[in-house]
Amino acid sequence: MVLLVLLGVIPSLIIFIVDVAVHRLFALREALAVDSGQPGGVQGFILYTASGLVLCLASTAVCHAFSTDAEGSGIPQMKAIMSGFYDKLKPALSLWALLAKCVGLVLAIGGGLPIGWEGPNVHIACIIAHHLSRLPFFRSLRRDRALRMQIMACACAVGLASSFGTPIGGVLYALETTASFYLVPTFWKSLLSTVAGALVYDMLYKTPLVEAFENTSFGGGDYTRTQLLAFALLGVLCGLVGAAFVKCVHWVYIMRKLRAFGAQRYVIVGLVATFAAMVQYPLRLFRLDPRTAINQFFSAEPLLSLSTWDVVALLGVKFPLIVVSIGLPLPAGVFIPCFLLGSAFGRLYGEVLKFFFGAAIVPGGYAVVGAAAFTAGVTRALSCAVVIFEVTGQLKHMVPTVVAVLLAVIVGNACTRSLYDTLIIMKQLPFMAHMRRDRHPRQTVADVMSLAVVSLPVRASAEQVRAVLARYPAFDSVPVVSDADGQLLLGAVRRRSLLATLAVAADAAGAAAPYALRVDEDSDGGDHDGGSSGSEHVPDVGGAGAPLNGHAEPAGGAAAGAPSPGSYELVDMRSPI
C-alpha cells in the first residue's frame, strides 16, 4: 500500500510542477509581446513568434538529444507495454525519457502549440512506477510479473486522475485505453493510487497558481426528456467528426512519410510553431488557456467575452492545428484538445438550437455533452462520460451524456480505429491486436505471420551461434527449435546467455562441436533489469555437448526473431483506417 500511495502522490506533484512551469511561460510570452490583452504591434509580433518558435524547437531538440521515446502522447507505448511487451519497450521507461517528457512538454505547450498533457502525464506516472518498483524495498513486488503489470495499470490511472482530479474516471479510462486484459484485484489498487493523486490535485489546484476546471451549475428547466433526441444526434455528429479527426491524423502522418512538406523534425516543428504563433497573436481567443475556454463553454450563462462567430473561428483554426500538432516529434497529448473541440462544437450546436427553439435550450449543457462525446469518438472510451461527471461535479445530464457517448463510440468504431490504435500502427509499436473473425472470417495465422524466422536448433554448433549473433545484433533472444528440419518451437534463449557460454567455451577443446540449447519452457522471466534472470545461468562448460540454459519466451517473444525489427507486429492491416 505504501507503493500505491507514493505512486499517487509523486506523479501528481511532478504534474503540478509541469503545469505551473507552463503557466509561467505563458505569462512571460504575454508580458513580452502583449499589452493589456492587446497586440503590441510589429515588435510584439516578432517577439511572440520568435519565442514560440524557439521554445518548440527546443522541445523537439530535448527529445532528440535525450530520448525519442518521449515524443507523442505516451499512451500508445503504455498500451503496448500492457499488452505484454514490457521488456521490449523498456527504453520508454528510462529516466532520460522522464526528463525529456517533462521538459519537452513544458516547452511545447509554453511555445503555444494546442496540445494536451494527459497522455504525457500517463507516461510520466508509468516511468515513476517503473523506477519506484526497482527500489530495494519494493523489488520483491517487481519479481512477480502479474504484480508488475498491476503497478503499471495503477500508474496509467494515476496519470489521468492527476490531470483532472477524477479518481474513478481515471481508473476506467486507463482500463479502456491501455489494458488488453484486466485483473479484478487491480481495481481497488488503482483506485487507492488515484484517490491519493486526486487529493494532491484538490489541495494544489485550489490555489491561484494555475487554472482549474470549474463545476457547472444548470438550472431546473434546462433539460427535458424531449431534448434527448437532440443530444443523441449530437453524439452521432461527434462520432463522425471524431472519426474524421482520426483520419486526418493518419493522412498527415502519411504525408510526412512521403516527405510532402518536409520530414525533417526541426523543419516541420518550425513551420507549425510559426503558423501557430502567427494565428494566435492577433486574437486573444486563440491564446486562451484551454481550461479557461472550456469553463466558458460549460457555463449556463450566455457567452461573455466570446461570440458565436468566435466559437466558429476557434473550431476552424484549432481543428487543423491540433491534427498537425499531435503528430509532431515532441510530447503531445490529445485529451484536452479534444475536450476543447468537443465543448466548442457542443456549444455551437446548443446556440443554434436556442436560436430556433428559444430559451428552453441551455447551450452549456450541450457543450458538456459534446466534450464527452467528441473525446469518446476519438479515443473510443466510454469512461469519458464518467470523467465529465467528475469534472463538472453534477449528474444532471447523466442520461444524455451516456447516450451521446455510446452513440459516438458506435459510430466512430464503424468508421475507423481509435486514435491510440492508429498511433500504434503509425509508430510500428509491438502490439497483439484483436483479430475480428467477422471482418476476416477466412484469415489464418499464415496471413499475419513471418515465414522466414531466424532460429537455432537445439543442438547448435558454436559457429552457428556466432553467425546468428553477428548477423542479428539487435535480437535480445533467439528462438530454439527441436531440429533443423522439424522446426518445433521449444522456447527461446537470451543473447547474454549465448555470449556468456561462448566466452566460457572459447578455451575448451572441440569448440565447433554441437551444443545442446536447453530452454526452460515454464520460466516467467522474473526481473530483467540487469544481470541474469531467475531462470538463466551460465553453465560450467567442460567440452562438447555442454548444455546452454536459456530463458523461455512466449510465442510473442519468439516472433521477435524475425529478420526485420518490425516482424513481431501482429496487426490486422487490411481493415480500413
Side-chain angles (χ1 to χ4, degrees):
M1 293 183 65
V2 175
L3 176 61
L4 296 178
V5 173
L6 290 176
L7 186 55
V9 172
I10 295 176
S12 299
L13 292 174
I14 294 177
I15 289 168
F16 179 76
I17 293 171
V18 169
D19 209 349
V20 171
V22 168
H23 278 73
R24 292 292 181 266
L25 277 180
F26 269 135
L28 179 60
R29 293 186 70 208
E30 288 283 313
L32 285 174
V34 179
D35 182 18
S36 300
Q38 299 299 321
V42 176
Q43 180 180 357
F45 173 79
I46 295 175
L47 287 174
Y48 190 84
T49 304
S51 61
L53 176 62
V54 170
L55 289 173
C56 293
L57 290 177
S59 175
T60 190
V62 167
C63 295
H64 193 199
F66 294 104
S67 175
T68 56
D69 291 302
E71 298 171 1
S73 167
I75 290 183
Q77 289 97 320
M78 299 309 106
K79 187 170 184 177
I81 286 175
M82 294 297 295
S83 69
F85 294 94
Y86 194 106
D87 292 332
K88 198 169 290 292
L89 292 177
K90 195 176 295 182
L93 300 175
S94 67
L95 291 176
W96 290 115
L98 176 63
L99 174 64
K101 201 76 174 184
C102 294
V103 176
L105 184 63
V106 170
L107 295 174
I109 300 180
L113 292 180
I115 54 179
W117 51 84
E118 75 300 321
N121 288 349
V122 170
H123 194 177
I124 289 170
C126 289
I127 296 174
I128 294 171
H130 173 74
H131 289 280
L132 277 177
S133 65
R134 298 179 67 183
L135 297 177
F137 187 73
F138 304 118
R139 201 169 183 87
S140 59
L141 300 176
R142 179 179 176 77
R143 293 186 183 278
D144 188 319
R145 186 178 184 278
L147 287 177
R148 184 174 60 178
M149 299 308 293
Q150 289 183 51
I151 291 171
M152 297 304 293
C154 294
C156 292
V158 167
L160 188 79
S162 300
S163 304
F164 303 105
T166 55
I168 300 176
V171 173
L172 297 178
Y173 188 83
L175 191 158
E176 287 189 277
T177 57
T178 63
S180 299
F181 59 91
Y182 200 80
L183 297 175
V184 176
T186 308
F187 188 83
W188 76 265
K189 298 173 184 176
S190 298
L191 192 58
L192 176 59
S193 295
T194 56
V195 167
L199 289 175
V200 175
Y201 176 94
D202 191 62
M203 289 187 294
L204 296 178
Y205 281 82
K206 298 301 182 183
T207 65
L209 292 175
V210 293
E211 181 78 19
F213 289 106
E214 299 175 356
N215 290 348
T216 59
S217 177
F218 299 118
D222 64 317
Y223 162 61
T224 60
R225 298 298 178 185
T226 56
Q227 297 181 35
L228 187 59
L229 183 61
F231 283 112
L233 178 59
L234 176 60
V236 172
L237 293 176
C238 286
L240 292 173
V241 178
F245 183 90
V246 177
K247 280 275 191 182
C248 291
V249 171
H250 185 63
W251 287 338
V252 169
Y253 177 81
I254 291 176
M255 286 190 290
R256 283 185 58 197
K257 284 296 184 181
L258 295 176
R259 302 179 183 273
F261 50 86
Q264 212 271 347
R265 67 167 55 228
Y266 297 102
V267 174
I268 184 62
V269 170
L271 290 175
V272 175
T274 302
F275 176 77
M278 293 173 63
V279 171
Q280 292 168 354
Y281 180 74
L283 295 176
R284 182 176 179 273
L285 165 68
F286 300 138
R287 302 196 306 272
L288 282 177
D289 185 300
R291 285 171 290 201
T292 302
I294 291 171
N295 286 335
Q296 292 195 36
F297 294 144
F298 283 0
S299 174
E301 304 298 326
L303 294 174
L304 298 177
S305 60
L306 302 177
S307 67
T308 302
W309 291 112
D310 288 334
V311 180
V312 174
L314 184 69
L315 286 171
V317 171
K318 289 289 186 178
F319 188 96
L321 196 55
I322 291 171
V323 166
V324 176
S325 297
I326 62 175
L328 294 177
L330 41 74
V334 73
F335 199 98
I336 285 293
C338 287
F339 246 46
L340 176 63
L341 293 177
S343 60
F345 184 76
R347 183 77 191 206
L348 181 63
Y349 181 86
E351 295 287 352
V352 172
L353 290 181
K354 184 177 181 179
F355 177 80
F356 285 104
F357 299 104
I361 303 295
V362 177
Y366 288 88
V368 170
V369 175
F374 180 77
T375 308
V378 173
T379 63
R380 311 298 154 75
L382 294 171
S383 54
C384 292
V386 180
V387 173
I388 205 71
F389 296 152
E390 293 186 275
V391 167
T392 59
Q394 65 171 321
L395 300 177
K396 186 171 184 59
H397 285 77
M398 181 176 69
V399 173
T401 300
V402 171
V403 169
V405 165
L406 185 59
L407 289 174
V409 171
I410 292 173
V411 172
N413 283 334
C415 299
T416 64
R417 294 185 181 90
S418 73
L419 177 66
Y420 298 134
D421 288 344
T422 302
L423 292 174
I424 284 175
I425 296 174
M426 286 161 45
K427 295 175 178 291
Q428 296 185 351
L429 297 173
F431 182 71
M432 190 70 70
H434 175 65
M435 311 300 287
R436 289 178 51 179
R437 177 171 292 182
D438 60 331
R439 179 162 292 178
H440 297 293
R442 296 182 178 85
Q443 193 172 42
T444 64
V445 174
D447 296 326
V448 296
M449 69 181 293
S450 175
L451 298 179
V453 178
V454 177
S455 63
L456 284 171
V458 69
R459 297 187 62 81
S461 67
E463 292 303 322
Q464 288 178 289
V465 174
R466 291 193 187 97
V468 169
L469 295 180
R471 186 174 181 183
Y472 304 100
F475 287 3
D476 59 359
S477 61
V478 181
V480 179
V481 295
S482 58
D483 54 65
D485 299 325
Q487 296 289 298
L488 177 64
L489 179 66
L490 301 177
V493 60
R494 287 201 172 268
R495 183 183 191 88
R496 59 172 173 258
S497 290
L498 292 172
L499 292 173
T501 302
L502 288 176
V504 174
D507 296 332
Y515 290 89
L517 300 180
R518 181 159 56 87
V519 294
D520 181 4
E521 298 183 15
D522 296 325
S523 171
D524 185 59
D527 184 11
H528 300 318
D529 284 339
S532 298
S533 67
S535 63
E536 286 184 311
H537 64 274
V538 179
D540 182 12
V541 179
L548 180 66
N549 280 350
H551 169 65
E553 292 285 328
S564 65
S567 59
Y568 47 69
E569 182 183 2
L570 297 180
V571 176
D572 181 8
M573 299 297 292
R574 296 186 292 181
S575 55
I577 189 166

